[in-house]
Amino acid sequence: MKVKLKAEPPVPPGTVILTAKPFAFVLKSKLRSDRCNHCFNRAKVLRCSGCQYLYYCSRECQKQAWNEHKYECNYLRKIAPRTVPDAAHLMARIILKLQRGGDQEKDYYSATGFRKFKDLMSHYSDLKEDAKRMEHFASLSAVLLDLLGESNLPNTAELMGIYGRVCVNSFNILDPEMLAIGTGIYLSASIIDHSCDPNAVAVFEGTTLYIRTIKQFSTLDWKKVRITYIDLLNSAPARRTELQTGYYFLCDCKRCLDSEEHLLMNSVQCPDSACIKPVPVVSALDSDRVCPSCGHNIKSETLKQYQELLDFTLQQLEVMKDIAYVCKVCLKKQQGLFHPLNIYHVKMLDLAFESSIEMCQWEQACQFGAEVKQGYRRYYGEFHPLTGIFHLKLGKLLLHQQHVQKAWEELLEAKRILAITHGENHILFKKDFIPLLIQCENELQSEMVS
């Protein structure tokens, strides 16, 4: 009699499929006097009496950190008051950990599957051909020699292998608003490949990494789990260049090969007010083009104007000295010419939204938020941490400006997304979102009564 194996259940969106602690990690050096170097919380911190370099928020955190910090404390004290580059500090921690048996540490991603540090790809041959990274490696080697001393350093080949693993496998550790506050190596999570159309996301609480699904899986197959390594608010050629440069592979995901999206990202708006559909621009040398939706003729002068403004936009995105002013100038010039989903228009709107918040120009921020919303959804996807945080920010702004009904709608959308990307137990959901939702609900009820 054959025993029928029980089928594995499907994995719905919002499921935590991996929880991982870092093999090694560092807080950004510029934040070390503002955040605890162990839990990464922003708090009043006290300096380590030994090295006078790292800071901790409590005796408990310092005690927990000492298991690792005791091996580096004297080295950090030796070079004070100089600042150790973050990459060098992370490599030093890895070197010291490997010396005391860290190479045998296993981090499981399933009941039987695990990764060790040696399993991480180093891309040794690619590194040797990469002039910029070899220059960086030489600089870090000099720092490590000064920090740890020659007797503690592995040979050049092994050191380059560690450097390569850090370059290709490290995660930016993010705060609740998805801003990078540190860097960590997570052995089990290194199993996950990249896609510009991901089915999972990485979020953090402190230094703990959570991989959460954002799409339905019929069964959990780690060979099919994909997160994104880069910011998705870029054109396919820009994304592929970034991945090739940083991770040494050419992305062939469906989004990178989607010619329709590529054309949409580089499109003008049809000048016919009854149409305003996207008209792809292949080259500034194009002769007159015809709108594929309504047949309206787009003159070559318009295409030339688009290319000149695109060059100006790219130049300003590169420089960005006076962000608020430049954003307004660019957006005014783009109005009526760039299609609303042109990627460079969306990027400029995103910068305008954030800079308006920084400048306390609340009503202007609400306006830019309303305009950039469809771009976020189109290029980040329905469920992305940044999309959820965007709706949360916009809801908070609208509530501040007494646009209570609109704020309620944005917060409900934030709830729908954040419940999947972060989960209802995440600190962002509990401490930032829930109080705001309750406040908005109370104000909405007050308006209805009055």
Side-chain angles (χ1 to χ4, degrees), residues 160-177:
M160 193 183 297
I162 292 172
Y163 173 68
R165 288 174 174 86
V166 167
C167 288
V168 178
N169 297 279
S170 59
F171 280 77
N172 281 326
I173 299 174
L174 309 173
D175 71 3
E177 292 191 2

Side-chain angles (χ1 to χ4, degrees), residues 380-443:
Y380 281 125
E382 182 178 7
F383 294 108
H384 190 285
L386 287 175
T387 308
I389 291 168
F390 164 76
H391 285 288
L392 174 58
K393 281 185 182 178
L394 184 54
K396 186 175 183 178
L397 286 167
L398 289 165
L399 186 59
H400 180 272
Q401 295 303 100
Q402 297 299 306
H403 304 306
V404 183
Q405 182 59 47
K406 288 182 178 179
W408 179 251
E409 292 168 5
E410 294 299 329
L411 291 176
L412 288 181
E413 184 65 3
K415 181 181 181 181
R416 188 179 74 86
I417 297 169
L418 294 174
I420 296 295
T421 60
H422 289 70
E424 296 185 5
N425 289 321
H426 193 279
I427 191 170
L428 176 74
F429 199 93
K430 292 191 294 186
K431 292 190 70 174
D432 293 341
F433 172 72
I434 291 298
L436 198 62
L437 186 69
I438 292 171
Q439 180 189 345
C440 187
E441 186 175 20
N442 290 338
E443 293 191 22

Side-chain angles (χ1 to χ4, degrees), residues 128-144:
K128 294 195 76 172
E129 300 298 320
D130 190 329
K132 282 188 177 181
R133 279 202 164 144
M134 287 305 294
E135 183 180 350
H136 187 219
F137 173 67
S139 173
L140 292 177
S141 297
V143 173
L144 288 166

Side-chain angles (χ1 to χ4, degrees), residues 306-321:
Y306 168 79
Q307 188 61 51
E308 289 174 352
L309 183 49
L310 177 60
D311 292 341
F312 174 76
T313 300
L314 290 171
Q315 182 183 9
Q316 299 309 315
L317 284 169
E318 190 73 28
V319 180
M320 277 298 168
K321 289 183 179 177

